[in-house]
Amino acid sequence: MPRFASAALTFHRNPMIQGMDAATALRIQAGITKATVCEGTIQQRIADSPNPPTAFENIHYYITRSLKAVIVTHIEPDPSLTSDQLIDLAFRVKSERSTASAIEFTFGERPNGRVPNGVEFAAALTARKFTREEVDAIMIVPTATWTPPRTAPAMTFKIVETPEELREKIMKVEAPSFECSEDDMESLYQGMLQDGFVGGKWVHVIASEEGEETKVVAAVLFVDEETQVATLFGLATVHEARKKGLALGMLKWLMEESCRRGCDTLALAAHSDVEGFYSRIGFEVFDRISEWSYRD
């Protein structure tokens, strides 16, 4: 049974959900942060880095395999540090790698009591000649009260439990859906097995249309019962199975699974091309994630 008191949790339809109480916002933000820090280790498998993030004072970073970029994956909260001091830490790492010619920061814009906050940090990065390159919306929805806007088709779902099922999910659904190379996806597969990103907090699921054997939809959840937040990564539908409502059916299953695992909130990162879709089905923008880069 779900172990949370706020089953009737509702959000307010205005930018960055201004009406949300501070305690709820901080709890949700903590859950999303846990998920994104862990997921950063997965992404670097595709981003050309063989090693897990390294902690250096107040930043976590990794160096790409080509040694050309310092990728900052997480900033530790420390009220004593200014934005410029945190940027200086990244430049110190870069200076110790003589071949590194770039630094990348990714962070949220929502005011949250952390230092730096998004507005302050963005101003400091601009002054230090960083360029804003990409913005994603972090969107959330209450799991217990969400209902699909239309009836989803009948589907069969399977939670991934074996290496063979994980390979099927990655190679047969995610690779063609995201148009990624087999080499990249093989690195992702091997990294997940090596780093334990199957089972526990990670829920991988594949699905087919009812009565069909071929798996055509896949997703992965990071479930954090402590903060009661489930974060969705990589909802994928193969091209030939799109426009059938299967992604909606997968979302319905994910909402129910999140509730079963004690989570009252489902979060995801949406690129600009799909933000409208998620907004229409009830998700709201909680934060916007900016990517900033500096290049020699």
Side-chain angles (χ1 to χ4, degrees), residues 41-228:
T41 305
I42 297 176
Q43 288 300 322
Q44 73 189 63
R45 296 287 176 177
I46 300 178
D48 193 30
S49 177
N51 302 310
T54 300
F56 176 74
E57 296 190 24
N58 291 81
I59 64 173
H60 293 247
Y61 72 93
Y62 63 86
I63 309 291
T64 58
R65 185 178 287 113
S66 62
L67 305 180
K68 296 295 186 184
V70 177
I71 313 295
V72 180
T73 62
H74 184 52
I75 303 171
E76 295 290 343
D78 184 346
S80 68
L81 289 178
T82 67
S83 295
D84 281 323
Q85 287 172 325
L86 285 167
I87 296 170
D88 286 342
L89 291 177
F91 274 102
R92 281 175 57 188
V93 172
K94 176 178 173 294
S95 68
E96 292 169 3
R97 299 280 185 160
S98 60
T99 60
S101 60
I103 301 172
E104 292 184 7
F105 276 100
T106 302
F107 64 93
E109 299 177 351
R110 184 183 179 86
N112 55 25
R114 294 163 62 92
V115 174
N117 66 47
V119 174
E120 175 192 331
F121 201 31
L125 289 168
T126 300
R128 300 288 287 273
K129 308 302 182 184
F130 280 74
T131 302
R132 189 184 193 188
E133 296 192 342
E134 187 175 332
V135 178
D136 286 342
I138 299 298
M139 307 187 76
I140 60 176
V141 72
T143 57
T145 57
W146 183 82
T147 56
R150 58 185 182 276
T151 303
M155 299 169 66
T156 302
F157 300 89
K158 177 70 173 68
I159 293 178
V160 169
E161 297 177 332
T162 67
E164 292 75 21
E165 290 173 344
L166 180 63
R167 177 179 285 278
E168 178 185 20
K169 171 181 179 283
I170 291 173
M171 297 301 184
K172 294 187 177 181
V173 182
E174 293 178 345
S177 297
F178 300 138
E179 300 180 352
C180 295
S181 71
E182 288 191 6
D183 287 345
D184 283 346
M185 301 311 275
E186 179 65 27
S187 296
L188 178 64
Y189 168 71
Q190 295 296 338
M192 285 186 171
L193 290 182
Q194 177 181 331
D195 297 331
F197 290 115
V198 180
K201 289 180 178 290
W202 293 97
V203 182
H204 295 260
V205 58
I206 47 180
S208 58
E209 296 182 74
E210 191 171 79
E212 301 291 335
E213 293 186 4
T214 304
K215 304 297 188 295
V216 292
V217 189
V220 58
L221 275 181
F222 180 88
V223 178
D224 185 58
E225 293 185 5
E226 181 181 358
T227 59
Q228 303 165 1

Side-chain angles (χ1 to χ4, degrees), residues 1-4 143 159 223 225 252-263:
M1 295 293 292
R3 296 188 299 279
F4 54 87
T143 57
I159 293 178
V223 178
E225 293 185 5
K252 182 175 183 294
W253 185 93
L254 293 169
M255 298 288 181
E256 294 168 352
E257 184 67 14
S258 298
C259 281
R260 283 193 291 269
R261 292 175 181 258
C263 295

